[in-house]
Amino acid sequence: MKENKIILSHGSGGKLMHSLIEEIFLKSFKNDILNKLYDSAVIDFGEFEICFTTDSYTVNPIFFPGGDIGKLSICGTINDLSVCGALPLYISASFIIEEGFDVITLEKIVKSMREIAIKSKVKIVTGDTKVVEKGKADGIFINTTGIGIKDKKINLGFEYIKEGDKIIINGDIGEHGLAVLLSRNEFNIKTSIKSDCAPLHTLIGAILKEFKGIKFMRDPTRGGIASSLNEIVKNRNYGILIYEREIPIKKNVLSMCEILGFDPLNIANEGKVIIICDKIESKKLIEKIRKNKYGKKAKIIGEIIKEPKGKVLMETITGSVRIIDMPIGEQFPRIC
């Protein structure tokens, strides 16, 4: 890690964040569970496995079209467990609150967390609260930790991926990041773009019950699908080819990206899952996903290729091929 000071990009989901993880945290904490760098730790408990995850939320603003920091914290934790094949069961919630924070606003956030937890059939069972002096935090920070149960018959991992496997996403990309950014009113632009923030455990649970050819899943949050796809191929003996014409993206999101100069592949999502599955099952899997309200626009966007190893390529609309690299930082800060 070349930098001597932590900068915002170290938390963006891009190259700098991965450098921080590998050269600082993994160097000190490495073990057989952590080293896999899945969205949740998968821990063997004999007849079953426990999935265990934690995340911190610092979104600015705390309320945005389609969600808020409370909904985001519960959905994010549910999804991190779900993409590892677990049934989410229990969540902890810890709050760091700045002195002077409005109590009515706090109640709205907590109500939002409660509603999505009840709807998702998970229980918030423990937590912690700290209050810091005014100016020592940006309103409110939330940390959530989740625990879920995984059937040992569900085998997901990088090692199961092979050439010819198809890459699926359950819907339009780029909505969350733009919804948060534009709600800051820094650009004085009015738009109908809303965050895709949603719990995906029912969608994921349904396809895991029916399809044995699912190899791996990841939710493309910070750094967007570009980061997630690069994480999948990093140091592997395969690569990825995606097709620009197949990537689902709303016209208003694409137009806004063109206006602001953003690459939609790098923008955070909070209700999307990337699924890698066997080619034979891919079409039926798409049909199944589209029956869920969070998967109606699901598409096959690419496939696993033999060469070049460790690289993500995209066939553009014009027919050319370009490398999709992991972003160095994030195009804008504090999205999730």
Side-chain angles (χ1 to χ4, degrees):
M1 205 173 107
K2 296 179 180 179
E3 294 76 14
N4 294 320
K5 302 287 184 180
I6 297 297
I7 60 176
L8 283 173
S9 289
H10 280 116
S12 69
K15 287 183 177 180
L16 288 179
M17 189 188 81
H18 284 79
S19 174
L20 179 68
I21 291 170
E22 291 170 4
E23 298 177 32
I24 302 296
F25 299 123
L26 276 182
K27 186 177 178 180
S28 294
F29 302 150
K30 61 183 177 181
N31 58 67
D32 60 328
I33 298 173
L34 180 62
N35 292 351
K36 293 179 179 179
L37 294 179
Y38 293 155
D39 290 277
S40 299
V42 181
I43 305 167
D44 193 331
F45 260 72
E47 295 182 2
F48 58 89
E49 292 171 324
I50 286 181
C51 289
F52 178 50
T53 190
T54 189
D55 211 339
S56 298
Y57 297 86
T58 62
V59 66
N60 175 30
I62 56 177
F63 293 94
F64 47 85
D68 58 77
I69 192 172
K71 179 182 179 182
L72 183 64
S73 68
I74 301 301
C75 289
T77 301
I78 286 172
N79 294 344
D80 280 347
L81 292 169
S82 299
V83 296
C84 288
L87 173 66
L89 294 174
Y90 304 108
I91 290 178
S92 73
S94 295
F95 301 83
I96 297 177
I97 307 170
E98 186 178 13
E99 179 186 16
F101 193 76
D102 188 72
V103 172
I104 294 176
T105 301
L106 179 60
E107 288 178 337
K108 289 180 180 178
I109 293 168
V110 170
K111 181 180 178 182
S112 179
M113 296 172 72
R114 182 189 67 197
E115 288 176 352
I116 199 70
I118 291 172
K119 181 180 178 181
S120 302
K121 297 181 180 180
V122 300
K123 291 183 179 180
I124 300 171
V125 293
T126 189
D128 182 53
T129 304
K130 296 291 187 295
V131 178
V132 298
E133 294 93 340
K134 192 171 184 62
K136 296 294 180 66
D138 192 5
I140 185 170
F141 300 151
I142 299 177
N143 173 273
T144 48
T145 296
I147 294 177
I149 298 292
K150 176 178 174 290
D151 188 333
K152 293 187 80 170
K153 294 178 182 178
I154 297 172
N155 296 311
L156 302 173
F158 299 116
E159 65 271 25
Y160 300 108
I161 300 171
K162 70 177 190 302
E163 182 183 357
D165 288 343
K166 297 298 183 180
I167 301 166
I168 293 172
I169 194 162
N170 62 309
D172 297 310
I173 66 168
E175 295 169 299
H176 176 72
L178 282 182
V180 172
L181 175 71
L182 295 173
S183 65
R184 296 171 185 168
N185 296 317
E186 294 174 358
F187 298 98
N188 197 27
I189 297 174
K190 292 184 178 180
T191 177
S192 59
I193 297 172
K194 292 184 178 181
S195 170
D196 61 338
C197 182
L200 300 178
H201 61 301
T202 55
L203 184 158
I204 292 171
I207 62 175
L208 285 174
K209 283 182 181 179
E210 189 170 332
F211 296 91
K212 304 301 181 185
I214 297 172
K215 310 291 188 67
F216 185 80
M217 293 183 287
R218 175 145 284 177
D219 56 336
T221 52
R222 288 177 295 174
I225 68 171
S227 277
S228 292
L229 295 175
N230 273 282
E231 288 167 357
I232 292 168
V233 300
K234 186 176 181 182
N235 299 324
R236 308 292 167 187
N237 62 351
Y238 50 78
I240 283 176
L241 175 63
I242 58 173
Y243 304 100
E244 185 177 19
R245 66 181 181 277
E246 299 298 334
I247 298 172
I249 179 169
K250 287 187 172 70
K251 288 183 178 179
N252 58 353
V253 171
L254 185 59
S255 297
M256 197 58 60
C257 286
E258 291 173 349
I259 291 170
L260 299 175
F262 297 145
D263 186 341
L265 300 183
N266 295 341
I267 297 178
N269 310 275
E270 286 294 343
K272 297 297 173 288
V273 56
I274 292 172
I275 303 166
I276 299 179
C277 71
D278 190 281
K279 178 181 178 180
I280 296 173
E281 288 192 343
S282 60
K283 290 184 179 179
K284 288 186 178 180
L285 179 55
I286 281 285
E287 292 174 3
K288 179 71 174 182
I289 294 171
R290 287 176 178 168
K291 292 179 180 178
N292 186 284
K293 65 178 179 178
Y294 297 126
K296 294 187 181 300
K297 294 186 179 181
K299 294 194 76 173
I300 297 172
I301 63 169
E303 61 187 288
I304 302 298
I305 56 176
K306 186 175 182 179
E307 299 287 348
K309 294 178 175 63
K311 297 290 184 182
V312 179
L313 305 180
M314 183 171 75
E315 183 182 286
T316 69
I317 293 173
T318 61
S320 62
V321 176
R322 69 179 180 94
I323 293 175
I324 302 298
D325 206 355
M326 183 178 288
I328 294 175
E330 195 165 33
Q331 296 172 107
F332 33 82
R334 301 292 298 281
I335 294 303
C336 55

